[in-house]
Amino acid sequence: MSAGLGRILQGRAAYRTATALRSSKRTSTGRAPPTTATTTTTTTTTTTARVSITQGAPQTQVRYISGTTTDAKSAAVAASSAVLNSTSTPSLRELFDSPPVSSSRSRLASSASPEGLFLYPNLKTPETFLDSVNAAIARGHLLVERIAHAPEQQDGGLEMRKVIKLFDRLSDVLCKVIDAAEVVRCLHPDPAWRQAAETVYEELFSWMNTLNTDPRLYEVLHTVLNTPAIESGLSEAERQVALVFLRDFEKSGIHLSDAKRAQFVALSDKVVSLGRDFMQNCSTPGPGPAHILVSPPSRLQGLSPGYIQRITKTNKQGEKVAVMPTSGWESQMVLKHVEDEGVRRAMYVASMAEDKTKVAVLDDLLRTRYDLAQLVGLPSYGHMFLGDKMVKNPENVSAFLHTLGKSQEAAVHSELMLLQKAKRVATRDKDAQLEAWDRDYYVRLVSSRTSTMPHGDSISAYFSVGTTMDGLSKLFSHLYGIKFVPGTVQPGETWHDEVQKLDVVDEREGLIGTIYCDFYGRQGKQLNAAHYTVRCSRRVDDDDEEHDIAEGMTLREGIELARADPGVEMTGKEGRYQLPLAVLSCGFSRPPGGKPALLSWVEVETLFHEMGHAMHSMIGRADYHNVSGTRCPIDFVEIPSILMEHFLADPAVLGLFATHHQTGAPLPAGLLMAHQANRSTFQAIELHSQRSMAMLDQLLYSPVVGSPSFNSTATLENLQRATGVVPPVPGTAWQTGFGHLYGYGAGYYSYLFGRTVTSQIWETVFRSAPTSRSAGERLREHVLKWGGGKDPWECLGGLLEDDRLMKGDQESMKIVGDWGTKTPL
């Protein structure tokens, strides 16, 4: 992720919403799934109620608190080694297809002393979790002061040479706490833990939100990059890290007066507050009725008779009336399956009803981000957000989306005529026009008629969770020499008994990271599929912690300091490294009776997509926290995960693992072909929907927001009239449920951009040999291993052996745009 001290949250949240974004393209008439996104900026407060730094007083005792102590880390590595060498380790199929509690966990003594979450000793209880904020801020203050005073050191420039490392350490200290808080507040079943995580998040964010406007830090970093004796000796990764921080300082108005910098911080805080309100609004019902009454219940023809019977009541007049909820999956079922257009219309209007309070929150959020951009001298938030992305500016995004739209016009028109014809036949009205409440119904109807799906078991029978995870491990073994091994879970290490732990093992390097898998839905858990990077790879043996406390400096008695992970030695690399740790969360349904969960194709696609992010985190190991794993621009970070969808669709890859959960028979070729043919129907309209949402995102972060008459509902309606496949519906406001407007703000185009790039990568590198080790190593060498440590255009140009791409200029963007017109997305 490309992020500095304060914006670490924005990029991270965006990655976590990747699959929610992908899901929304299939339900464009419904609300896009909500996300947990946050935007940040940052600086330094030189005083705080929790930390006191003084000179000249007698030194008092300092107590250290860390993400992972040496003892805990050694225990974790020892446990992993035991699992790798054990003959009783369960297979991946057994691990994920067995009843909820894993065999590795059941072997542990129940009386064992509980560890902290993720084996972090400061995450044993909600109360100790709160202590981690104080420890992170205490260490953060030391690092800030050390950076600020680096130019004063009379050491021949040695301390100045360490400044970039100090910045990176500061970011790592803060990220470890706030990223753990993000996992806990989204996934932990205990309200006390979730509340503690909210407090941790808010307190740490409040402090972080001052760091990017501290002129002392900026001046030191600027000096480092403009001192030839230092700059000439920087590695490519160091230079990338420094540029990340420098850009964030400049985006945060470091050139502004003290008063305007304070205004920047205030506006940033307001964005977070409004963003939280907006995201909460996305998941709460609107002002429309909670139910629609359908009489007679037979008008719900198309739904299960048993379900219709369950929701049917008798009113005071003795009439049978079906009471149909207007939110959640029920509304989608009506829009997709009910034959009666009047019922579908009533459901659409009720579920999408405009809530003026929600619109006001969204519009205030958009205006506040516009004001932020104006404060730093930029015409819009889109210009502010896109400046360090691959696309560079909103004009390039618009050109890219326009090119895609022109190339798809004929196909969209053809598919639209198919739907309109189907409606006219069904209604016996030769003038019937397609409406918003018709699209999902007729897409399903026409697709089912043209499908040649054979009878027998559905395709889900060949994709149990265990089978799919085993297949992913086999695929990564072929491509990279990497496999998954079930890890031993210590008491207290996970937040729920269903969470499974995987050790990620490289055939050359041994253990390279850990992935926690939380795959099943439950009450209180956010159900959107997500990838969380809890800890990034980073070299730690050269942290030089002992010099954080300057000579003559004392700390208040009893103060706690966050301490670096002691790390492990890596084969073929000098020094010691902290190993990456990731969490994958999904919302799969677990069947009763200990039966294995069988996944739909969309769910398998989701799992492949999120695992693409996780493997990027595992492979993208670097000396610096800010350029490891998925820490790269939003329009590049999606590429490895979207590429996984191409692997899933390839018969050679499916042949590695897709077998019947009961008989073990391989997936029949006819079933796969029929399924893929069915899914390819109406792809142009699906692409058009994604493009429309990206265009709306760009409009809502453009200069038009500065108009006194701006209104997001009117903006959406105008866009629908100009480019939509169906006309807008008065009285509705779909945009208030489009959660990506916060998490992806001005970056929603990135999925289409990623689809375009990955289609070209697939055709060029993988199509002829999708499980080839040479192709996998080529991707690993040019893309995955760099994370954010190398310019993404150089990564792409090297992978595709096209020097024209390495410039990252308008010609590069034109080349990508041309790919979109020639390569199926």
Side-chain angles (χ1 to χ4, degrees), residues 425-462:
V425 170
T427 61
R428 299 180 181 179
D429 180 357
K430 63 181 180 61
D431 297 319
Q433 298 295 312
L434 203 69
E435 302 289 350
W437 50 81
D438 293 325
R439 212 202 81 161
D440 284 0
Y441 174 76
Y442 285 106
V443 163
R444 182 198 60 79
L445 185 66
V446 175
S447 297
S448 64
R449 289 174 179 172
T450 58
S451 172
T452 56
M453 194 78 73
H455 297 290
D457 284 320
S458 72
I459 202 164
S460 294
Y462 297 85

mmCIF file of all heavy atoms in Angstrom, residues 425-462:
data_model
loop_
_atom_site.group_PDB
_atom_site.id
_atom_site.type_symbol
_atom_site.label_atom_id
_atom_site.label_comp_id
_atom_site.label_asym_id
_atom_site.label_seq_id
_atom_site.Cartn_x
_atom_site.Cartn_y
_atom_site.Cartn_z
ATOM 1 N N VAL A 425 -42.409 -9.799 -24.594
ATOM 2 C CA VAL A 425 -43.032 -11.103 -24.775
ATOM 3 C C VAL A 425 -43.785 -11.499 -23.501
ATOM 4 O O VAL A 425 -44.928 -11.972 -23.556
ATOM 5 C CB VAL A 425 -41.983 -12.164 -25.129
ATOM 6 C CG1 VAL A 425 -42.586 -13.571 -25.074
ATOM 7 C CG2 VAL A 425 -41.385 -11.887 -26.509
ATOM 8 N N ALA A 426 -43.137 -11.305 -22.357
ATOM 9 C CA ALA A 426 -43.745 -11.715 -21.090
ATOM 10 C C ALA A 426 -44.987 -10.904 -20.757
ATOM 11 O O ALA A 426 -45.970 -11.435 -20.240
ATOM 12 C CB ALA A 426 -42.719 -11.591 -19.964
ATOM 13 N N THR A 427 -44.953 -9.607 -21.096
ATOM 14 C CA THR A 427 -46.090 -8.735 -20.746
ATOM 15 C C THR A 427 -47.106 -8.604 -21.875
ATOM 16 O O THR A 427 -48.178 -8.012 -21.680
ATOM 17 C CB THR A 427 -45.576 -7.335 -20.383
ATOM 18 O OG1 THR A 427 -44.896 -6.763 -21.516
ATOM 19 C CG2 THR A 427 -44.635 -7.379 -19.189
ATOM 20 N N ARG A 428 -46.753 -9.128 -23.064
ATOM 21 C CA ARG A 428 -47.601 -9.003 -24.256
ATOM 22 C C ARG A 428 -47.880 -7.528 -24.580
ATOM 23 O O ARG A 428 -48.957 -7.166 -25.034
ATOM 24 C CB ARG A 428 -48.904 -9.770 -24.076
ATOM 25 C CG ARG A 428 -48.696 -11.261 -23.861
ATOM 26 C CD ARG A 428 -50.006 -12.000 -23.677
ATOM 27 N NE ARG A 428 -49.777 -13.426 -23.453
ATOM 28 C CZ ARG A 428 -50.736 -14.311 -23.242
ATOM 29 N NH1 ARG A 428 -52.009 -13.906 -23.228
ATOM 30 N NH2 ARG A 428 -50.449 -15.579 -23.041
ATOM 31 N N ASP A 429 -46.885 -6.708 -24.301
ATOM 32 C CA ASP A 429 -46.967 -5.273 -24.577
ATOM 33 C C ASP A 429 -45.809 -4.918 -25.494
ATOM 34 O O ASP A 429 -44.649 -4.889 -25.078
ATOM 35 C CB ASP A 429 -46.886 -4.479 -23.270
ATOM 36 C CG ASP A 429 -46.957 -2.968 -23.493
ATOM 37 O OD1 ASP A 429 -47.003 -2.533 -24.662
ATOM 38 O OD2 ASP A 429 -46.926 -2.231 -22.485
ATOM 39 N N LYS A 430 -46.129 -4.629 -26.769
ATOM 40 C CA LYS A 430 -45.064 -4.386 -27.750
ATOM 41 C C LYS A 430 -44.318 -3.082 -27.505
ATOM 42 O O LYS A 430 -43.258 -2.843 -28.091
ATOM 43 C CB LYS A 430 -45.637 -4.382 -29.162
ATOM 44 C CG LYS A 430 -46.654 -3.275 -29.429
ATOM 45 C CD LYS A 430 -47.182 -3.367 -30.849
ATOM 46 C CE LYS A 430 -48.198 -2.275 -31.158
ATOM 47 N NZ LYS A 430 -47.641 -0.920 -31.041
ATOM 48 N N ASP A 431 -44.830 -2.227 -26.616
ATOM 49 C CA ASP A 431 -44.170 -0.961 -26.327
ATOM 50 C C ASP A 431 -43.528 -0.932 -24.940
ATOM 51 O O ASP A 431 -43.045 0.115 -24.499
ATOM 52 C CB ASP A 431 -45.180 0.194 -26.415
ATOM 53 C CG ASP A 431 -45.755 0.341 -27.816
ATOM 54 O OD1 ASP A 431 -44.976 0.217 -28.778
ATOM 55 O OD2 ASP A 431 -46.980 0.566 -27.936
ATOM 56 N N ALA A 432 -43.507 -2.061 -24.241
ATOM 57 C CA ALA A 432 -42.973 -2.100 -22.872
ATOM 58 C C ALA A 432 -41.497 -1.713 -22.853
ATOM 59 O O ALA A 432 -40.720 -2.126 -23.724
ATOM 60 C CB ALA A 432 -43.153 -3.496 -22.283
ATOM 61 N N GLN A 433 -41.117 -0.897 -21.877
ATOM 62 C CA GLN A 433 -39.736 -0.456 -21.718
ATOM 63 C C GLN A 433 -39.145 -1.053 -20.439
ATOM 64 O O GLN A 433 -39.831 -1.246 -19.437
ATOM 65 C CB GLN A 433 -39.664 1.075 -21.644
ATOM 66 C CG GLN A 433 -40.167 1.782 -22.888
ATOM 67 C CD GLN A 433 -39.298 1.489 -24.100
ATOM 68 O OE1 GLN A 433 -38.067 1.575 -24.040
ATOM 69 N NE2 GLN A 433 -39.941 1.127 -25.207
ATOM 70 N N LEU A 434 -37.873 -1.316 -20.487
ATOM 71 C CA LEU A 434 -37.183 -1.886 -19.334
ATOM 72 C C LEU A 434 -37.036 -0.827 -18.242
ATOM 73 O O LEU A 434 -36.632 0.303 -18.513
ATOM 74 C CB LEU A 434 -35.806 -2.410 -19.752
ATOM 75 C CG LEU A 434 -35.180 -3.489 -18.857
ATOM 76 C CD1 LEU A 434 -35.967 -4.783 -18.980
ATOM 77 C CD2 LEU A 434 -33.720 -3.709 -19.234
ATOM 78 N N GLU A 435 -37.348 -1.205 -17.008
ATOM 79 C CA GLU A 435 -37.241 -0.294 -15.869
ATOM 80 C C GLU A 435 -36.225 -0.847 -14.866
ATOM 81 O O GLU A 435 -35.778 -1.987 -14.975
ATOM 82 C CB GLU A 435 -38.612 -0.125 -15.192
ATOM 83 C CG GLU A 435 -39.712 0.394 -16.097
ATOM 84 C CD GLU A 435 -39.540 1.865 -16.476
ATOM 85 O OE1 GLU A 435 -38.656 2.536 -15.883
ATOM 86 O OE2 GLU A 435 -40.281 2.342 -17.362
ATOM 87 N N ALA A 436 -35.902 -0.016 -13.875
ATOM 88 C CA ALA A 436 -34.884 -0.395 -12.897
ATOM 89 C C ALA A 436 -35.245 -1.681 -12.165
ATOM 90 O O ALA A 436 -34.375 -2.496 -11.840
ATOM 91 C CB ALA A 436 -34.681 0.744 -11.894
ATOM 92 N N TRP A 437 -36.526 -1.887 -11.893
ATOM 93 C CA TRP A 437 -36.957 -3.077 -11.160
ATOM 94 C C TRP A 437 -37.068 -4.318 -12.054
ATOM 95 O O TRP A 437 -37.401 -5.400 -11.579
ATOM 96 C CB TRP A 437 -38.292 -2.814 -10.480
ATOM 97 C CG TRP A 437 -39.330 -2.224 -11.405
ATOM 98 C CD1 TRP A 437 -40.115 -2.875 -12.310
ATOM 99 C CD2 TRP A 437 -39.642 -0.836 -11.535
ATOM 100 N NE1 TRP A 437 -40.906 -2.003 -12.991
ATOM 101 C CE2 TRP A 437 -40.647 -0.727 -12.535
ATOM 102 C CE3 TRP A 437 -39.187 0.331 -10.919
ATOM 103 C CZ2 TRP A 437 -41.184 0.491 -12.919
ATOM 104 C CZ3 TRP A 437 -39.728 1.541 -11.290
ATOM 105 C CH2 TRP A 437 -40.723 1.618 -12.284
ATOM 106 N N ASP A 438 -36.803 -4.147 -13.343
ATOM 107 C CA ASP A 438 -36.898 -5.267 -14.292
ATOM 108 C C ASP A 438 -35.562 -5.963 -14.542
ATOM 109 O O ASP A 438 -35.537 -7.134 -14.916
ATOM 110 C CB ASP A 438 -37.418 -4.775 -15.651
ATOM 111 C CG ASP A 438 -38.853 -4.305 -15.609
ATOM 112 O OD1 ASP A 438 -39.647 -4.896 -14.849
ATOM 113 O OD2 ASP A 438 -39.171 -3.335 -16.329
ATOM 114 N N ARG A 439 -34.469 -5.231 -14.389
ATOM 115 C CA ARG A 439 -33.197 -5.721 -14.907
ATOM 116 C C ARG A 439 -32.805 -7.078 -14.352
ATOM 117 O O ARG A 439 -32.538 -8.029 -15.107
ATOM 118 C CB ARG A 439 -32.077 -4.714 -14.622
ATOM 119 C CG ARG A 439 -31.013 -4.732 -15.691
ATOM 120 C CD ARG A 439 -29.694 -4.176 -15.203
ATOM 121 N NE ARG A 439 -28.942 -5.162 -14.458
ATOM 122 C CZ ARG A 439 -27.646 -5.088 -14.227
ATOM 123 N NH1 ARG A 439 -26.964 -4.060 -14.664
ATOM 124 N NH2 ARG A 439 -27.016 -6.024 -13.537
ATOM 125 N N ASP A 440 -32.771 -7.229 -13.045
ATOM 126 C CA ASP A 440 -32.328 -8.496 -12.460
ATOM 127 C C ASP A 440 -33.266 -9.641 -12.825
ATOM 128 O O ASP A 440 -32.824 -10.772 -13.060
ATOM 129 C CB ASP A 440 -32.240 -8.365 -10.935
ATOM 130 C CG ASP A 440 -31.007 -7.592 -10.489
ATOM 131 O OD1 ASP A 440 -30.226 -7.170 -11.350
ATOM 132 O OD2 ASP A 440 -30.841 -7.404 -9.270
ATOM 133 N N TYR A 441 -34.565 -9.338 -12.893
ATOM 134 C CA TYR A 441 -35.531 -10.385 -13.195
ATOM 135 C C TYR A 441 -35.333 -10.932 -14.608
ATOM 136 O O TYR A 441 -35.267 -12.155 -14.810
ATOM 137 C CB TYR A 441 -36.955 -9.857 -13.024
ATOM 138 C CG TYR A 441 -38.016 -10.849 -13.459
ATOM 139 C CD1 TYR A 441 -38.322 -11.937 -12.644
ATOM 140 C CD2 TYR A 441 -38.682 -10.707 -14.667
ATOM 141 C CE1 TYR A 441 -39.274 -12.859 -13.028
ATOM 142 C CE2 TYR A 441 -39.643 -11.633 -15.058
ATOM 143 C CZ TYR A 441 -39.939 -12.710 -14.246
ATOM 144 O OH TYR A 441 -40.876 -13.624 -14.631
ATOM 145 N N TYR A 442 -35.207 -10.042 -15.574
ATOM 146 C CA TYR A 442 -35.098 -10.517 -16.958
ATOM 147 C C TYR A 442 -33.705 -11.036 -17.287
ATOM 148 O O TYR A 442 -33.556 -11.909 -18.154
ATOM 149 C CB TYR A 442 -35.545 -9.420 -17.925
ATOM 150 C CG TYR A 442 -37.051 -9.262 -17.924
ATOM 151 C CD1 TYR A 442 -37.665 -8.169 -17.301
ATOM 152 C CD2 TYR A 442 -37.863 -10.239 -18.485
ATOM 153 C CE1 TYR A 442 -39.045 -8.051 -17.270
ATOM 154 C CE2 TYR A 442 -39.249 -10.127 -18.454
ATOM 155 C CZ TYR A 442 -39.831 -9.041 -17.843
ATOM 156 O OH TYR A 442 -41.206 -8.937 -17.802
ATOM 157 N N VAL A 443 -32.684 -10.545 -16.607
ATOM 158 C CA VAL A 443 -31.354 -11.153 -16.767
ATOM 159 C C VAL A 443 -31.400 -12.607 -16.323
ATOM 160 O O VAL A 443 -30.902 -13.504 -17.011
ATOM 161 C CB VAL A 443 -30.288 -10.368 -15.963
ATOM 162 C CG1 VAL A 443 -29.019 -11.196 -15.784
ATOM 163 C CG2 VAL A 443 -29.951 -9.052 -16.651
ATOM 164 N N ARG A 444 -32.023 -12.856 -15.174
ATOM 165 C CA ARG A 444 -32.131 -14.236 -14.699
ATOM 166 C C ARG A 444 -32.994 -15.072 -15.633
ATOM 167 O O ARG A 444 -32.658 -16.213 -15.968
ATOM 168 C CB ARG A 444 -32.733 -14.245 -13.285
ATOM 169 C CG ARG A 444 -32.845 -15.658 -12.687
ATOM 170 C CD ARG A 444 -33.804 -15.694 -11.519
ATOM 171 N NE ARG A 444 -35.152 -15.281 -11.894
ATOM 172 C CZ ARG A 444 -36.022 -16.063 -12.522
ATOM 173 N NH1 ARG A 444 -35.701 -17.308 -12.852
ATOM 174 N NH2 ARG A 444 -37.225 -15.616 -12.826
ATOM 175 N N LEU A 445 -34.111 -14.499 -16.094
ATOM 176 C CA LEU A 445 -35.044 -15.246 -16.935
ATOM 177 C C LEU A 445 -34.397 -15.651 -18.256
ATOM 178 O O LEU A 445 -34.458 -16.818 -18.663
ATOM 179 C CB LEU A 445 -36.295 -14.405 -17.194
ATOM 180 C CG LEU A 445 -37.431 -15.091 -17.962
ATOM 181 C CD1 LEU A 445 -38.012 -16.227 -17.138
ATOM 182 C CD2 LEU A 445 -38.516 -14.070 -18.325
ATOM 183 N N VAL A 446 -33.776 -14.688 -18.918
ATOM 184 C CA VAL A 446 -33.153 -14.980 -20.213
ATOM 185 C C VAL A 446 -31.973 -15.930 -20.029
ATOM 186 O O VAL A 446 -31.772 -16.860 -20.830
ATOM 187 C CB VAL A 446 -32.720 -13.684 -20.913
ATOM 188 C CG1 VAL A 446 -31.966 -13.995 -22.199
ATOM 189 C CG2 VAL A 446 -33.928 -12.799 -21.193
ATOM 190 N N SER A 447 -31.183 -15.727 -18.995
ATOM 191 C CA SER A 447 -30.025 -16.598 -18.760
ATOM 192 C C SER A 447 -30.462 -18.036 -18.524
ATOM 193 O O SER A 447 -29.848 -18.973 -19.032
ATOM 194 C CB SER A 447 -29.223 -16.103 -17.552
ATOM 195 O OG SER A 447 -28.696 -14.822 -17.780
ATOM 196 N N SER A 448 -31.540 -18.226 -17.779
ATOM 197 C CA SER A 448 -32.005 -19.582 -17.490
ATOM 198 C C SER A 448 -32.523 -20.268 -18.744
ATOM 199 O O SER A 448 -32.395 -21.478 -18.903
ATOM 200 C CB SER A 448 -33.097 -19.558 -16.418
ATOM 201 O OG SER A 448 -34.243 -18.862 -16.868
ATOM 202 N N ARG A 449 -33.101 -19.488 -19.664
ATOM 203 C CA ARG A 449 -33.621 -20.078 -20.897
ATOM 204 C C ARG A 449 -32.505 -20.478 -21.846
ATOM 205 O O ARG A 449 -32.632 -21.450 -22.589
ATOM 206 C CB ARG A 449 -34.544 -19.081 -21.594
ATOM 207 C CG ARG A 449 -35.879 -18.868 -20.881
ATOM 208 C CD ARG A 449 -36.672 -17.763 -21.552
ATOM 209 N NE ARG A 449 -37.968 -17.547 -20.900
ATOM 210 C CZ ARG A 449 -38.784 -16.543 -21.196
ATOM 211 N NH1 ARG A 449 -38.440 -15.672 -22.147
ATOM 212 N NH2 ARG A 449 -39.929 -16.416 -20.569
ATOM 213 N N THR A 450 -31.408 -19.715 -21.840
ATOM 214 C CA THR A 450 -30.320 -19.999 -22.779
ATOM 215 C C THR A 450 -29.300 -20.958 -22.194
ATOM 216 O O THR A 450 -28.396 -21.406 -22.883
ATOM 217 C CB THR A 450 -29.603 -18.695 -23.175
ATOM 218 O OG1 THR A 450 -29.096 -18.057 -21.985
ATOM 219 C CG2 THR A 450 -30.555 -17.755 -23.873
ATOM 220 N N SER A 451 -29.435 -21.252 -20.884
ATOM 221 C CA SER A 451 -28.462 -22.127 -20.242
ATOM 222 C C SER A 451 -28.626 -23.565 -20.728
ATOM 223 O O SER A 451 -29.727 -24.054 -20.890
ATOM 224 C CB SER A 451 -28.642 -22.075 -18.719
ATOM 225 O OG SER A 451 -27.835 -23.046 -18.101
ATOM 226 N N THR A 452 -27.489 -24.210 -20.924
ATOM 227 C CA THR A 452 -27.506 -25.624 -21.285
ATOM 228 C C THR A 452 -27.001 -26.461 -20.108
ATOM 229 O O THR A 452 -26.480 -27.541 -20.295
ATOM 230 C CB THR A 452 -26.600 -25.865 -22.511
ATOM 231 O OG1 THR A 452 -25.265 -25.381 -22.214
ATOM 232 C CG2 THR A 452 -27.120 -25.151 -23.723
ATOM 233 N N MET A 453 -27.166 -25.923 -18.904
ATOM 234 C CA MET A 453 -26.672 -26.607 -17.709
ATOM 235 C C MET A 453 -27.275 -27.995 -17.603
ATOM 236 O O MET A 453 -28.489 -28.159 -17.593
ATOM 237 C CB MET A 453 -27.037 -25.791 -16.473
ATOM 238 C CG MET A 453 -26.298 -26.207 -15.215
ATOM 239 S SD MET A 453 -24.629 -25.571 -15.211
ATOM 240 C CE MET A 453 -24.930 -23.841 -14.895
ATOM 241 N N PRO A 454 -26.429 -29.030 -17.534
ATOM 242 C CA PRO A 454 -26.961 -30.388 -17.430
ATOM 243 C C PRO A 454 -27.596 -30.631 -16.068
ATOM 244 O O PRO A 454 -27.334 -29.931 -15.102
ATOM 245 C CB PRO A 454 -25.712 -31.260 -17.621
ATOM 246 C CG PRO A 454 -24.568 -30.387 -17.224
ATOM 247 C CD PRO A 454 -24.968 -28.982 -17.582
ATOM 248 N N HIS A 455 -28.433 -31.648 -16.032
ATOM 249 C CA HIS A 455 -29.077 -32.009 -14.771
ATOM 250 C C HIS A 455 -28.080 -32.753 -13.882
ATOM 251 O O HIS A 455 -27.027 -33.185 -14.311
ATOM 252 C CB HIS A 455 -30.308 -32.874 -15.034
ATOM 253 C CG HIS A 455 -31.370 -32.152 -15.815
ATOM 254 N ND1 HIS A 455 -32.101 -31.117 -15.276
ATOM 255 C CD2 HIS A 455 -31.810 -32.313 -17.094
ATOM 256 C CE1 HIS A 455 -32.957 -30.667 -16.177
ATOM 257 N NE2 HIS A 455 -32.797 -31.379 -17.290
ATOM 258 N N GLY A 456 -28.444 -32.922 -12.622
ATOM 259 C CA GLY A 456 -27.567 -33.608 -11.677
ATOM 260 C C GLY A 456 -27.060 -32.634 -10.633
ATOM 261 O O GLY A 456 -27.677 -31.609 -10.350
ATOM 262 N N ASP A 457 -25.932 -32.975 -10.022
ATOM 263 C CA ASP A 457 -25.364 -32.123 -8.981
ATOM 264 C C ASP A 457 -25.022 -30.739 -9.523
ATOM 265 O O ASP A 457 -24.581 -30.589 -10.662
ATOM 266 C CB ASP A 457 -24.090 -32.756 -8.416
ATOM 267 C CG ASP A 457 -24.403 -33.913 -7.476
ATOM 268 O OD1 ASP A 457 -25.364 -33.794 -6.705
ATOM 269 O OD2 ASP A 457 -23.674 -34.920 -7.531
ATOM 270 N N SER A 458 -25.214 -29.730 -8.665
ATOM 271 C CA SER A 458 -24.795 -28.382 -9.047
ATOM 272 C C SER A 458 -23.281 -28.287 -8.959
ATOM 273 O O SER A 458 -22.610 -29.150 -8.373
ATOM 274 C CB SER A 458 -25.430 -27.355 -8.102
ATOM 275 O OG SER A 458 -24.820 -27.435 -6.827
ATOM 276 N N ILE A 459 -22.762 -27.221 -9.506
ATOM 277 C CA ILE A 459 -21.305 -27.054 -9.517
ATOM 278 C C ILE A 459 -20.760 -26.900 -8.102
ATOM 279 O O ILE A 459 -19.589 -27.200 -7.833
ATOM 280 C CB ILE A 459 -20.924 -25.851 -10.412
ATOM 281 C CG1 ILE A 459 -19.465 -25.982 -10.863
ATOM 282 C CG2 ILE A 459 -21.200 -24.527 -9.714
ATOM 283 C CD1 ILE A 459 -19.106 -25.089 -12.013
ATOM 284 N N SER A 460 -21.597 -26.479 -7.148
ATOM 285 C CA SER A 460 -21.147 -26.317 -5.760
ATOM 286 C C SER A 460 -20.690 -27.632 -5.143
ATOM 287 O O SER A 460 -19.858 -27.630 -4.230
ATOM 288 C CB SER A 460 -22.269 -25.725 -4.903
ATOM 289 O OG SER A 460 -22.582 -24.418 -5.304
ATOM 290 N N ALA A 461 -21.223 -28.752 -5.626
ATOM 291 C CA ALA A 461 -20.852 -30.044 -5.060
ATOM 292 C C ALA A 461 -19.366 -30.335 -5.223
ATOM 293 O O ALA A 461 -18.809 -31.188 -4.521
ATOM 294 C CB ALA A 461 -21.678 -31.154 -5.711
ATOM 295 N N TYR A 462 -18.720 -29.637 -6.127
ATOM 296 C CA TYR A 462 -17.295 -29.866 -6.410
ATOM 297 C C TYR A 462 -16.398 -28.837 -5.723
ATOM 298 O O TYR A 462 -15.189 -28.825 -5.941
ATOM 299 C CB TYR A 462 -17.054 -29.835 -7.923
ATOM 300 C CG TYR A 462 -17.800 -30.937 -8.638
ATOM 301 C CD1 TYR A 462 -19.132 -30.769 -9.020
ATOM 302 C CD2 TYR A 462 -17.192 -32.164 -8.878
ATOM 303 C CE1 TYR A 462 -19.834 -31.788 -9.643
ATOM 304 C CE2 TYR A 462 -17.891 -33.196 -9.502
ATOM 305 C CZ TYR A 462 -19.210 -33.001 -9.881
ATOM 306 O OH TYR A 462 -19.909 -34.024 -10.490
#
